[in-house]
Structure formats: structure tokens, C-alpha cells
Amino acid sequence: MADGNKEMTPAQILEAAKEEGYELSDEELESVVGGGEWRNECCPGCGHTGTLYCPGTGVSKCGKCGLTW
């Protein structure tokens, strides 16, 4: 999985999501266009550390269970 501190292109973000078995919604695809980043935040629901953060909305989403916060 990509380093949470490394900037990624939209294509790299989509590839990383695919590698993790995560399907992005239309809303999440829009956030990638506007800039999103993978973080090593711990999901409050399942403890997974692969989360997608969208600075535009301030929302994080778990790549494993789908929880948003």
C-alpha cells in the first residue's frame, strides 16, 4: 500500500484502491479528481489502517469496512 505521506496521482490512487480490493464510488472518484490521500489512520470501526481522506470534504473512509467519519 502507498505511503500516507506521499503525494499520489489519481491513477495511482485508483490502482492502490484496486490492489486493496476496494471499489470507489462516484463521489469518491470525484474526490480523487479534487485530491485525496491515503492515510495510516486507524478506522474507528474495524481498526484497518488503509483509509482514504478527502481534504475537500474533510471525510475519511475505511478501505476495508467502508465506514466514513
Side-chain angles (χ1 to χ4, degrees):
M1 178 169 219
D3 177 359
N5 295 324
K6 179 181 173 188
E7 290 187 28
M8 298 173 69
T9 67
Q12 289 170 318
I13 292 171
L14 292 173
E15 182 61 30
K18 183 179 177 182
E19 288 173 6
E20 290 291 316
Y22 183 73
E23 295 288 327
L24 295 173
S25 68
D26 289 341
E27 181 180 84
E28 290 166 324
L29 288 172
E30 287 293 321
S31 74
V32 171
V33 172
E37 58 192 57
W38 287 105
R39 290 193 169 176
N40 272 340
E41 288 181 305
C42 186
C43 172
C46 72
H48 184 67
T49 57
T51 57
L52 179 66
Y53 173 73
C54 177
T57 62
V59 174
S60 291
K61 184 167 186 174
C62 178
K64 185 175 182 179
C65 76
L67 180 70
T68 58
W69 69 96

